[in-house]
Amino acid sequence: MPSTAAAAMAATPPAGEQSLVFILQPLFLHDVSAAAHLVLALAVAGRFLFRRLGLTLSKDDGDVGQDAGRGSTGGSSRCYGVAVCTTWALAASEVLLAAYSWYAVAAGAGRWSRDAVAEQVDAAARAAAWLLLAAYLQLGFGRRHQERFPAPLRLWWALFMLLSVVAVGVHAAACLDGRFPVPGRSWALDAVSVIAGVVLISAGFLGRKRDGQRGHSHTSQEPLLIGAHGAAADGNRSSAADTSLLAGAGFLSMLTFSWMAPLLAVGHTKTLALDDVPGLEPGDSVAGLLPRFKANLEAALAGDGDGDSSGRKAVTALKLTGALLRTVRWHVVVTAFYALVYNVATYVGPYLIDSLVQYLNGDERYASRGQLLVAAFIAAKVFECLSQRHWFFRLQQAGIRARSALAAVVYQKSLALSSQSRRSRTNGEMINIISVDADRVGIFAWYMHDLWLVPLQVGMAMFILYSTLGVASLAALGATVVIMLANVPPGKMQEKFQEKLMDSKDVRMKATSEILQNMKILKLQGWEMRFLSKIIELRKTETNWLKKYLYTSAAVTFVFWGTPTFVAVVTFGACMLMGIPLESGKVLSALATFRVLQEPIYVLPDTISVAIQTKVSLDRIASFLCLEELPSDAVQRMPSGSSEFAINISNGCFSWEASLEVPTLKDLNIKVRPGMRVAVCGTVGSGKSSLLSCILGEIPKLSGEVQICGTTAYVSQSAWIQSGKIQENILFGKEMNKEKYDRVLESCSLNKDLEILPFGDQTVIGERGINLSGGQKQRIQIARALYQDTDIYLFDDPFSAVDAHTGSHLFKECLLGDLASKTVVYVTHQIEFLPSADLILVMKDGRIVQAGKYDEILGSGEEFMELVGAHKDALTTLDAINAMNRGNMSPCSGTAKLKLSRSLSSSEKKDKANEDEGNAQSGQLVQEEEREKGRVGFWVYWNYLILAYRGALVPFVLLAQILFQVLQIASNYWMAWAAPVSKDVKPTVSMSTLLYVYVALALGSSVCVLVRSLLLATVAYKTATLLFNKMHMSIFRAPMSFFDSTPSGRILNRASTDQSEVDTNIADQMGSVAFSIIQLVGIVAVMSQVAWQVFVVFIPVFVACVWYQRYYIDTARELQRLVGVCKAPIILHFAESITGSTTIRSFGKENQFVETNSHLMDAYSQPKFYNMGAMGWLCFRLDALSSLIFAFSLIFLINLPTGLIDPGIAGLAITYGLNLNMLQAWVVWGLCTLENKIISVERILQYISIPAEPPLFMSGDKLEHNWPSNGEIQLYNLHVKYAPQLPFVLKGLTVTFPGGMKTGIVGRTGSGKSTLIQALFRIVDPTIGQIVIDGVDICAIGLHDLRSRLSIIPQEPTMFEGTVRSNLDPLGEYTDNQIWAALDCCQLGDEVRKKELKLDSPVIENGENWSVGQRQLVCLGRVILKRSKVLVLDEATASVDTATDNLIQKTLRQQFLETTVITIAHRITSVLDSDMVLLLDDG
């Protein structure tokens, strides 16, 4: 073995190569290996010693181990067996090889050289270390039966694998160098080490996958856990579909992604449904993740001393990141290992190119090494492909886990928020946290390792450049650092723009969400276009930031495509100045290195921008998790029967606002014994609902004590119904008890309604109960409460939404019957329900002013007298009618009212009963979300491309890219052709000419990139804006039936997630696919220059690639669509949970809702996870095929006779060939990603083509400005149905409403009252017949003309976020004086004057800082301002007390003396002073 001195004398290497000499020596490798193995031997010996000491100290240790071991699963023990066998086999091999090498050295020479000594020490250390390790695994570890190998052990196996791979590389390089011959025993040792390393790593890292969750080690538990998970998620799914395909996969199957084959086969033969997608591994499901993540987060918070003022620990982005990393630490470690292998493998090619060029040039030193070179190239390619696939797959799996963990934690937090926190965040903002921010953190997993890989990659690149170009490599380092620094300012700008973009998007989504919830009101009032312009204004602010963001990104793209060229120019310039000769082999090695270096530098801006976006998202999530929760001590809850009082409030003082000055409730002292009925009454805004909130602990407590004894049920004033079946709403998570269920339906008089509905109690309710009348929703709420069978019932005026007859039935059956033995607190405006109460509380200004039984307080105070007096006034009128009909009755008797109401009507607000009846033919009202099937149509791409400037810029973008590619290839071709092959060959051109031409070509290519980037950003911006405007115009002009049958979650999903894709991703994705194809064509062209025979392999391989891609895309496309479809239910469930959080908490159902959320999240993760698996399956096969082309080209080249082709050009072909597999995979991957992402465009285009309502304005004859002047409404033979396939709801109605008269409309549920009103406002157009107002057929005029001239006060009072002024006058048509006058008319003037900001007082989302009664009065104010000739009241006074009702009636009589008033009523008093009553029956 020649010494270093001898080697140096043999050939004095240039400066760049000296660095290699030391590394290639056997001494270096043996020293490193011996040191590592000695450390291992000491560690294992120490572990043995420590264990022995530990055993003498504590005998229990073994027992614990055995207990833990009993649960160890089969998969785990199988991996343990493999690891032990492999370690013993390796130890035996090491001992044999050590003995043989000692014998060989001793027999071969008398004198031992330094290298020989190093080799012997290394062999001894290895043998000792592996023997000790094998003994430890067999004896120490084996007895303990741990479920996973210790982390240090797995880390050692990874390090050993790395050492083995490095040894192979160094031995190959030494062979090529020729100065250090490698003995056969070294190759044998390498082979054994690499094989053993692969097996041990697989056993160590994959063995853990069998043990499920760490917490559940029992084998008996695992199948049950999986089963439970599946059963809860979907009762009818087969158990086969619930097991993960990955869980049972063998080593080879995992290596090649063959475990995906069954799903791909199914997807190829039929359109995949969610039921076809297999389940997740326990570790990927929320149930497996959440406990670990929460424990990690709590540990992170516990380790930190500082909390906020209330002693709570503040969650920060940093602590969140730490907890996430700990939760997915196995993925972090294993992906780091894959990334390391991949990056080392990518630099093997550039390092060996110079040797290959010298070999092709006929260099003596390389004469016998052609085959070895080819083998090294191909081996590096194989390692590169394998590690990259698994690296990417595991990264994405980590991303899914991170997203699920965050979304689940945010959901749990949202259920626990206090009222103030709840008001500080809008629904839109909270939805964005789950739909956008959690996703963004998941996406960051892709970029997780880039921050440490970039320095490593730059270091390896510098090493190669130094070995080829010597000191000039420092110039390359300088250029690289400059470019990286140049990226900091644009990165900072991008962060700022991204943050602003997200904030403005939040504001827009919040407004959109509110508008969609209240679309019916907007349509009835004719305000939809005004509100659309508001959304467009908000979008303008957003696009302002979007534009800046896109152009900054374009600048960054330009810098990074120009990077390799810039670094190359600087490096070659330095070579020229330093006089370092440029040979074609060295130039190509440098160019190949720059190309590989381009990736880390190109990825760096992406990484920085994604890291910035992720930081913003983590900050938003952290600030949300820091919000104040409901204090757990606000109410002292005691078990049933443990106290003499069911409810006990002493010295209670409560306030919705944080201020102490004006508490909402003060001086509360209430004691309620079990079984008492307590009625709460008072005028609008007196604090009745707040009283119930304080019992539930929803309102912040300033002082005092609240105790409740037993479980609670709560029925809110505004019905909260979940979308889903009626039966599910009533059961609310409880088991079905048929007898009890039927009794509840009977008590809540729901049987009749269920008979009318097409699917009975299996009818699916639309979002917010859209296909139920107000009364039906309330009765379902009451049924839900009754079915829960709790100790205490709190009713917040539920009887106001139902007609009088139903109200009294509910009161009798429910409160006096079913709940006779329960504690009941009910708020009511109906005086007739008060005498039955054991205690009546009269509220005024947040105080209880009177308390006692009905007779006791009747004469003792004016507040109660006021309410009763108003009630008597109403009954006097009733009494007069009654006397004529049936003889006299006592005016105070509630029965008079009830009897008459029975004869008149048992009506409810509105009904689509008949519509639903017809729906039985077409299925449920709310259908499964429609998704396109099969390939994404070419028309989607085409429409997208031609949207901006009719596609005029697209050819220019492509032209710029083609020119860039041509100039790039030309510059590299020029360097390969013009540079001499070796020192001996005379250069074709001078050094300066060589460089000037290269610089000129490089500058040209850079300009092309700049043009391309700017044009692409312009197209992206313009297209996103046009798609947004068209979609929103289409949504706002859609008929009401569209909103009834479409949950707002679906619309919001398109307006947020899909629009985000269009804003920032799709144009880039399209561009990158086109650019990759152009690059691929360029590479094949260059390779065929050298060997046209490449086409012989390329064509069949390309055909195979296309076949694989088509086979894969059938499954992937549907999986991606399922991802889209499964996202909306998460958002819908989240939105519903936020709205109903009070109800959920009052029933104590938080855990049930958290579980439902987990199942929805898992259903979303399933298609996402298998989509990644399918991508890995495809890319693995494509990599294998492109490696085949590369291998063929190499073998072909080295077998050509010397001198037949220019070695420089051949080297160029190989340089480009190194990128072939990456680019080919990139093209297919890009195409698939694009097809997945373009679905967002497809979904938006779907909404752009919603059929619109009739036009808002009609051209031609203008209406008179004062129409309707008389207000006479005539219906001629009116037939109305809701859809062509449904039966008629109104059947031949002919009636005249005289101008200026007041008409009451009464009738049973489903008689067509509301349909008549909808026909009047043309929410539904007449099928036959016509409606004429003052001689004008309403179907002949525009919708806006019609609706803006009529007025309506709807049943559900609506206020929008904004100010009092903007709520009364959204269009800004009236003066302040007119608005004040209207407020005074509707009794709100004094209330508003009390407020600091008067007319500019804020109204929060949905008007939640105003009581329901006050909201109703605001609606009255709107119509007083509008003063139309036709006014419709749709049960407008349901939510107010009798006194306020009388005020409203009086106001209407005074203000609308000359107006045609049509009233749909539940209270008899509402229609008593009508001039006419219209009784409808069955249309």
Side-chain angles (χ1 to χ4, degrees):
M1 209 170 280
S3 69
T4 314
M9 275 167 23
T12 306
E17 288 186 21
Q18 286 171 6
S19 61
L20 278 180
V21 173
F22 179 64
I23 289 174
L24 295 182
Q25 287 181 70
L27 183 70
F28 170 75
L29 202 59
H30 289 314
D31 285 355
V32 171
S33 171
H37 280 86
L38 276 170
V39 170
L40 172 72
L42 287 170
V44 177
R47 181 90 172 149
F48 262 131
L49 199 64
F50 180 71
R51 176 64 42 75
R52 289 281 155 245
L53 288 171
L55 280 175
T56 54
L57 291 173
S58 159
K59 289 285 180 202
D60 305 339
D61 199 20
D63 304 338
V64 174
Q66 280 162 347
D67 277 351
R70 282 182 202 122
S72 191
T73 58
S76 203
S77 59
R78 188 162 62 242
C79 286
Y80 166 71
V82 168
V84 172
C85 292
T86 309
T87 313
W88 277 117
L90 186 59
S93 311
E94 296 284 7
V95 170
L96 285 172
L97 284 166
Y100 173 70
S101 76
W102 184 82
Y103 165 75
V105 173
R111 191 172 56 81
W112 286 51
S113 67
R114 214 164 34 149
D115 284 344
V117 172
E119 188 181 358
Q120 293 315 302
V121 171
D122 180 23
R126 291 170 80 106
W130 284 104
L131 278 168
L132 275 167
L133 187 60
Y136 164 69
L137 279 176
Q138 184 79 52
L139 306 169
F141 182 75
R143 288 211 183 110
R144 287 175 64 77
H145 293 294
Q146 287 177 350
E147 283 186 348
R148 17 186 334 193
F149 295 106
L153 183 60
R154 290 182 291 151
L155 199 63
W156 159 250
W157 285 339
L159 181 66
F160 173 67
M161 178 69 193
L162 189 65
L163 278 173
S164 308
V165 172
V166 169
V168 172
V170 169
H171 286 149
C175 267
L176 292 169
D177 193 70
R179 285 171 281 178
F180 306 108
V182 179
R185 60 179 178 275
S186 295
W187 286 113
L189 183 63
D190 288 345
V192 170
S193 301
V194 170
I195 293 166
V198 168
V199 175
L200 287 172
I201 273 190
S202 308
F205 287 104
L206 301 180
R208 176 194 160 283
K209 305 304 280 182
R210 303 286 188 275
D211 60 44
Q213 297 166 355
R214 283 190 312 211
H216 309 293
S217 55
H218 272 273
T219 33
S220 60
Q221 273 182 307
E222 194 172 337
L224 290 175
L225 281 171
I226 295 173
H229 168 76
D234 192 350
N236 56 12
R237 296 249 327 242
S238 64
S239 57
D242 272 335
T243 51
S244 166
L245 289 179
L246 185 60
F251 175 66
L252 265 179
S253 174
M254 290 192 78
L255 192 70
T256 60
F257 289 91
S258 302
W259 53 271
M260 275 300 300
L263 183 61
L264 289 161
V266 174
H268 186 58
T269 51
K270 64 171 223 173
T271 303
L272 281 182
L274 194 58
D275 287 354
D276 300 316
V277 183
L280 294 168
E281 289 189 288
D284 290 323
S285 68
V286 175
L289 275 171
L290 192 59
R292 289 215 309 271
F293 176 64
K294 285 176 82 172
N296 289 328
L297 186 58
E298 270 150 30
L301 294 175
D304 177 61
D306 55 310
D308 62 11
S309 55
S310 63
R312 272 198 340 270
K313 301 286 184 191
V315 182
T316 61
L318 196 65
K319 290 172 198 163
L320 259 186
T321 312
L324 280 173
L325 285 175
R326 275 198 291 278
T327 307
V328 295
R329 59 176 170 260
W330 181 80
H331 285 76
V332 174
V333 172
V334 82
T335 48
F337 173 70
Y338 288 140
L340 192 61
V341 172
Y342 168 75
N343 281 288
V344 170
T346 45
Y347 280 99
V348 170
Y351 177 68
L352 294 179
I353 273 189
D354 190 19
S355 307
L356 186 71
V357 171
Q358 299 307 331
Y359 169 80
L360 293 173
N361 194 34
D363 190 315
E364 296 293 314
R365 290 176 304 164
Y366 297 94
S368 61
R369 304 221 173 78
Q371 277 78 7
L372 191 61
L373 272 170
V374 169
F377 267 112
I378 293 170
K381 259 292 161 244
V382 170
F383 272 111
E384 180 189 327
C385 297
L386 274 174
S387 55
Q388 187 185 30
R389 284 304 121 235
H390 288 277
W391 174 26
F392 284 178
F393 174 67
R394 293 296 179 190
L395 277 181
Q396 286 172 287
Q397 192 181 16
I400 283 185
R401 291 185 173 194
R403 184 200 176 283
S404 295
L406 285 174
V409 153
V410 167
Y411 180 82
Q412 283 195 354
K413 179 77 179 183
S414 70
L415 286 184
L417 290 182
S418 69
S419 56
Q420 271 178 301
S421 304
R422 190 49 207 85
R423 289 213 292 273
S424 72
R425 295 296 168 105
T426 62
N427 286 7
E429 280 174 341
M430 292 199 237
I431 287 167
N432 258 353
I433 286 180
I434 269 197
S435 67
V436 179
D437 292 317
D439 264 2
R440 189 159 278 146
V441 176
I443 289 166
F444 179 70
W446 271 104
Y447 301 87
M448 188 164 49
H449 296 300
D450 289 348
L451 297 169
W452 65 267
L453 280 175
V454 170
L456 176 79
Q457 288 165 316
V458 171
M460 288 194 291
M462 290 310 133
F463 169 73
I464 293 173
L465 289 174
Y466 187 67
S467 66
T468 49
L469 300 176
V471 190
S473 60
L474 293 176
L477 179 65
T480 306
V481 170
V482 164
I483 282 206
M484 286 182 169
L485 289 177
N487 195 44
V488 174
K492 282 259 196 301
M493 283 161 72
Q494 258 185 317
E495 173 180 21
K496 182 181 133 195
F497 297 150
Q498 175 70 33
E499 216 166 314
K500 299 283 190 191
L501 185 63
M502 286 308 295
D503 290 344
S504 47
K505 182 179 174 180
D506 274 352
V507 176
R508 170 175 67 83
M509 286 311 296
K510 171 176 150 189
T512 310
S513 166
E514 186 177 44
I515 287 169
L516 289 176
Q517 280 177 3
N518 301 309
M519 186 55 89
K520 185 154 194 183
I521 308 298
L522 300 186
K523 294 262 182 208
L524 289 168
Q525 302 279 12
W527 289 342
E528 68 267 49
M529 287 299 123
R530 167 71 186 170
F531 278 79
L532 173 61
S533 62
K534 187 174 156 187
I535 295 288
I536 299 289
E537 278 306 308
L538 291 172
R539 171 70 181 174
K540 272 186 186 152
T541 315
E542 190 184 343
T543 48
N544 196 14
W545 296 114
L546 177 65
K547 198 175 199 169
K548 291 175 178 169
Y549 177 77
L550 287 172
Y551 283 115
T552 316
S553 301
V556 168
T557 308
F558 159 66
V559 171
F560 287 90
W561 273 103
T563 297
T565 321
F566 173 71
V567 177
V569 168
V570 171
T571 312
F572 295 150
C575 286
M576 186 172 95
L577 292 173
M578 293 174 184
I580 297 170
L582 287 176
E583 298 158 21
S584 59
K586 291 180 177 177
V587 166
L588 287 170
S589 177
L591 285 174
T593 307
F594 297 144
R595 284 189 78 127
V596 179
L597 190 60
Q598 176 192 6
E599 192 189 347
I601 300 181
Y602 182 60
V603 159
L604 191 68
D606 264 4
T607 307
I608 291 170
S609 109
V610 171
I612 285 159
Q613 291 175 20
T614 308
K615 167 85 167 61
V616 171
S617 289
L618 281 168
D619 283 335
R620 285 156 55 101
I621 294 172
S623 78
F624 181 77
L625 293 179
C626 286
L627 289 178
E628 186 189 16
E629 295 186 9
L630 274 176
S632 51
D633 59 348
V635 174
Q636 192 184 340
R637 291 178 181 271
M638 295 181 291
S640 182
S642 60
S643 163
E644 61 173 316
F645 296 112
I647 300 169
N648 184 1
I649 304 176
S650 47
N651 304 320
C653 185
F654 304 86
S655 173
W656 286 115
E657 304 302 328
S659 65
L660 282 159
E661 292 86 60
V662 197
T664 316
L665 299 171
K666 43 197 174 291
D667 312 330
L668 288 190
N669 285 289
I670 305 168
K671 286 182 168 38
V672 179
R673 291 185 185 278
M676 269 176 81
R677 271 194 298 279
V678 180
V680 183
C681 59
T683 52
V684 168
S686 59
K688 302 183 297 294
S689 298
S690 299
L691 177 65
L692 295 189
S693 296
C694 86
I695 295 172
L696 289 170
E698 294 289 326
I699 177 169
K701 181 172 74 175
L702 302 177
S703 63
E705 242 178 66
V706 183
Q707 287 179 337
I708 60 173
C709 178
T711 52
T712 50
Y714 169 65
V715 177
S716 56
Q717 189 171 8
S718 314
W720 177 73
I721 300 284
Q722 279 180 283
S723 49
K725 293 177 183 159
I726 290 177
Q727 188 188 75
E728 288 165 6
N729 266 287
I730 295 173
L731 296 181
F732 207 46
K734 275 206 147 181
E735 289 293 307
M736 166 59 100
N737 173 340
K738 194 75 181 93
E739 192 185 332
K740 179 175 166 188
Y741 180 73
D742 291 338
R743 195 172 66 246
V744 166
L745 290 184
E746 183 53 47
S747 299
C748 298
S749 55
L750 277 167
N751 285 323
K752 259 207 180 69
D753 303 87
L754 296 182
E755 282 163 25
I756 297 172
L757 292 170
F759 295 92
D761 62 0
Q762 297 303 305
T763 302
V764 173
I765 302 174
E767 194 181 0
R768 301 189 313 283
I770 199 123
N771 46 341
L772 297 174
S773 72
Q776 286 169 330
K777 282 190 270 191
Q778 264 313 357
R779 298 208 306 277
I780 288 172
Q781 271 213 117
I782 296 169
R784 173 172 66 205
L786 288 185
Y787 193 82
Q788 295 305 306
D789 196 22
T790 58
D791 301 315
I792 299 170
Y793 283 81
L794 306 173
F795 290 102
D796 193 353
D797 195 16
F799 310 115
S800 62
V802 297
D803 60 66
H805 166 53
T806 314
S808 77
H809 174 87
L810 285 173
F811 188 76
K812 268 212 228 81
E813 293 294 325
C814 300
L815 266 74
L816 305 182
D818 294 348
L819 303 180
S821 61
K822 307 282 187 183
T823 310
V824 181
V825 179
Y826 59 99
V827 170
T828 185
H829 291 136
Q830 276 109 311
I831 304 297
E832 63 269 24
F833 295 149
L834 296 179
S836 319
D838 301 320
L839 173 67
I840 298 172
L841 305 175
V842 183
M843 304 281 300
K844 187 174 184 183
D845 298 332
R847 277 198 173 85
I848 296 174
V849 288
Q850 286 175 280
K853 278 190 178 294
Y854 185 79
D855 300 333
E856 290 168 14
I857 61 171
L858 194 51
S860 67
E862 58 188 57
E863 286 82 6
F864 190 57
M865 285 306 294
E866 234 174 76
L867 295 169
V868 175
H871 185 62
K872 279 186 177 163
D873 291 347
L875 288 180
T876 318
T877 328
L878 179 59
D879 195 41
I881 300 172
N882 231 34
M884 295 188 319
N885 288 346
R886 301 206 181 101
N888 208 359
M889 275 190 182
S890 133
C892 244
S893 135
T895 52
K897 173 168 179 176
L898 299 182
K899 276 191 181 153
L900 181 72
S901 78
R902 197 165 302 159
S903 63
L904 254 180
S905 141
S906 131
S907 82
E908 286 198 358
K909 169 200 158 197
K910 62 162 187 186
D911 207 289
K912 296 199 187 141
N914 296 336
E915 169 192 0
D916 292 337
E917 209 166 290
N919 253 348
Q921 301 152 17
S922 64
Q924 304 275 17
L925 172 77
V926 180
Q927 300 292 336
E928 284 283 306
E929 179 163 6
E930 69 302 327
R931 61 181 175 115
E932 304 283 345
K933 291 190 166 58
R935 290 187 61 174
V936 177
F938 174 71
W939 64 274
V940 177
Y941 297 93
W942 183 247
N943 282 351
Y944 181 82
L945 287 171
I946 62 167
L947 205 57
Y949 312 108
R950 298 202 170 166
L953 293 183
V954 176
F956 291 105
V957 174
L958 291 175
L959 182 67
Q961 177 62 24
I962 291 168
L963 280 174
F964 165 71
Q965 192 60 31
V966 168
L967 291 170
Q968 274 263 305
I969 291 175
S971 61
N972 292 346
Y973 206 94
W974 164 257
M975 289 303 277
W977 173 80
V981 177
S982 64
K983 291 194 285 284
D984 324 329
V985 181
K986 184 176 179 296
T988 330
V989 294
S990 70
M991 188 82 156
S992 52
T993 312
L994 178 76
L995 208 60
Y996 292 147
V997 173
Y998 183 72
V999 170
L1001 291 168
L1003 279 174
S1005 68
S1006 300
V1007 170
C1008 290
V1009 170
L1010 180 62
V1011 171
R1012 186 207 82 189
S1013 303
L1014 292 173
L1015 288 177
L1016 195 63
T1018 308
V1019 170
Y1021 170 75
K1022 183 71 177 168
T1023 312
T1025 309
L1026 287 170
L1027 279 173
F1028 179 89
N1029 292 347
K1030 286 186 169 193
M1031 174 171 76
H1032 279 71
M1033 184 55 152
S1034 182
I1035 289 171
F1036 276 69
R1037 290 286 294 115
M1040 204 54 225
S1041 56
F1042 168 74
F1043 298 98
D1044 288 349
S1045 59
T1046 309
S1048 64
R1050 286 183 200 168
I1051 304 174
L1052 290 173
N1053 209 355
R1054 282 168 174 80
S1056 67
T1057 315
D1058 292 327
Q1059 186 63 45
S1060 277
E1061 288 287 353
V1062 171
D1063 285 349
T1064 53
N1065 286 342
I1066 290 178
D1068 276 350
Q1069 191 62 40
M1070 269 197 176
S1072 82
V1073 168
F1075 309 152
S1076 303
I1077 292 172
I1078 292 168
Q1079 278 181 291
L1080 188 63
V1081 171
I1083 287 184
V1084 175
V1086 170
M1087 287 179 76
S1088 58
Q1089 274 288 300
V1090 179
W1092 58 265
Q1093 291 85 346
V1094 168
F1095 279 113
V1096 176
V1097 183
F1098 181 76
I1099 290 166
V1101 164
F1102 186 71
V1103 169
C1105 285
V1106 171
W1107 182 85
Y1108 269 129
Q1109 194 257 353
R1110 296 262 52 96
Y1111 182 77
Y1112 150 87
I1113 198 70
D1114 290 333
T1115 304
R1117 188 194 309 113
E1118 297 312 320
L1119 285 171
Q1120 185 61 31
R1121 283 182 175 141
L1122 284 171
V1123 169
V1125 170
C1126 290
K1127 189 163 188 175
I1130 296 177
I1131 294 173
L1132 176 64
H1133 181 252
F1134 184 55
E1136 284 185 343
S1137 303
I1138 299 169
T1139 319
S1141 54
T1142 305
T1143 305
I1144 294 168
R1145 284 193 292 263
S1146 66
F1147 283 95
K1149 294 283 181 185
E1150 293 96 328
N1151 289 349
Q1152 177 190 317
F1153 275 74
V1154 166
E1155 206 171 300
T1156 306
N1157 180 59
S1158 303
H1159 295 316
L1160 290 172
M1161 299 278 306
D1162 288 346
Y1164 173 68
S1165 298
Q1166 274 167 261
K1168 220 173 165 61
F1169 174 80
Y1170 287 102
N1171 204 5
M1172 291 156 15
M1175 181 65 85
W1177 178 91
L1178 174 73
C1179 289
F1180 175 79
R1181 280 144 186 79
L1182 296 182
D1183 283 349
L1185 290 169
S1186 56
S1187 300
L1188 193 66
I1189 300 179
F1190 183 61
F1192 175 81
S1193 316
L1194 276 174
I1195 292 165
F1196 181 76
L1197 279 177
I1198 64 159
N1199 288 318
L1200 283 176
T1202 310
L1204 193 64
I1205 52 166
D1206 182 338
I1209 302 301
L1212 180 69
I1214 297 303
T1215 310
Y1216 271 99
L1218 284 172
N1219 281 10
L1220 182 67
N1221 72 308
M1222 198 174 86
L1223 252 176
Q1224 194 173 343
W1226 189 247
V1227 167
V1228 177
W1229 192 79
L1231 274 170
C1232 298
T1233 310
L1234 175 61
E1235 186 155 0
N1236 290 341
K1237 284 198 183 296
I1238 202 80
I1239 290 169
S1240 290
V1241 175
E1242 181 183 55
R1243 284 156 59 87
I1244 288 176
L1245 290 174
Q1246 221 175 39
Y1247 272 25
I1248 286 177
S1249 55
I1250 303 167
E1253 283 187 305
L1256 293 173
F1257 302 98
M1258 287 284 193
S1259 52
D1261 300 339
K1262 284 278 176 216
L1263 275 172
E1264 292 169 25
H1265 70 91
N1266 64 343
W1267 178 91
S1269 52
N1270 184 22
E1272 184 183 54
I1273 303 171
Q1274 294 162 304
L1275 314 181
Y1276 295 111
N1277 189 26
L1278 187 66
H1279 287 74
V1280 175
K1281 52 168 132 178
Y1282 280 97
Q1285 77 275 16
L1286 302 180
F1288 284 109
V1289 183
L1290 294 179
K1291 304 160 187 172
L1293 213 58
T1294 303
V1295 66
T1296 301
F1297 297 94
M1301 302 268 278
K1302 296 181 175 35
T1303 309
I1305 302 182
V1306 292
R1308 270 204 58 74
T1309 292
S1311 57
K1313 304 183 298 294
S1314 285
T1315 307
L1316 176 58
I1317 300 305
Q1318 292 191 34
L1320 188 59
F1321 282 83
R1322 285 184 67 195
I1323 296 290
V1324 200
D1325 271 338
T1327 317
I1328 306 170
Q1330 56 184 160
I1331 301 175
V1332 176
I1333 301 178
D1334 282 3
V1336 176
D1337 180 354
I1338 62 168
C1339 290
I1341 59 175
L1343 288 181
H1344 187 268
D1345 290 334
L1346 170 70
R1347 291 170 185 169
S1348 60
R1349 312 284 179 101
L1350 309 180
S1351 291
I1352 182 165
I1353 303 182
Q1355 178 177 20
E1356 289 173 5
T1358 306
M1359 286 176 81
F1360 301 94
E1361 188 170 6
T1363 60
V1364 175
R1365 180 190 279 106
S1366 70
N1367 267 284
L1368 281 161
D1369 178 23
L1371 307 182
E1373 297 171 328
Y1374 305 100
T1375 64
D1376 279 9
N1377 291 338
Q1378 288 172 302
I1379 294 174
W1380 279 117
L1383 280 171
D1384 289 332
C1385 286
C1386 65
Q1387 314 299 320
L1388 274 177
D1390 297 342
E1391 185 68 35
V1392 177
R1393 283 190 185 91
K1394 269 189 226 163
K1395 297 190 183 282
E1396 202 180 316
L1397 297 170
K1398 308 285 190 285
L1399 288 180
D1400 292 318
S1401 302
V1403 175
I1404 64 166
E1405 198 174 6
N1406 300 326
E1408 280 174 15
N1409 53 347
W1410 294 71
S1411 78
V1412 179
Q1414 288 169 326
R1415 283 181 246 169
Q1416 195 63 283
L1417 294 174
V1418 169
C1419 294
L1420 176 63
R1422 285 180 194 150
V1423 298
I1424 291 174
L1425 268 179
K1426 202 170 175 183
R1427 295 207 179 273
S1428 307
K1429 262 300 184 185
V1430 177
L1431 170 64
V1432 176
L1433 306 177
D1434 189 355
E1435 190 39 57
T1437 55
S1439 306
V1440 294
D1441 59 85
T1442 319
T1444 315
D1445 186 6
N1446 288 355
L1447 272 173
I1448 292 178
Q1449 297 299 340
K1450 200 164 143 197
T1451 308
L1452 291 174
R1453 282 197 287 276
Q1454 290 166 358
Q1455 300 290 331
F1456 297 96
L1457 207 57
E1458 305 286 305
T1459 305
T1460 308
V1461 179
I1462 299 175
T1463 310
I1464 291 182
H1466 296 163
R1467 291 186 187 173
I1468 292 311
T1469 48
S1470 307
V1471 291
L1472 281 180
D1473 63 342
S1474 298
D1475 303 317
M1476 300 194 327
V1477 174
L1478 173 69
L1479 173 63
L1480 277 180
D1481 182 30
D1482 197 19

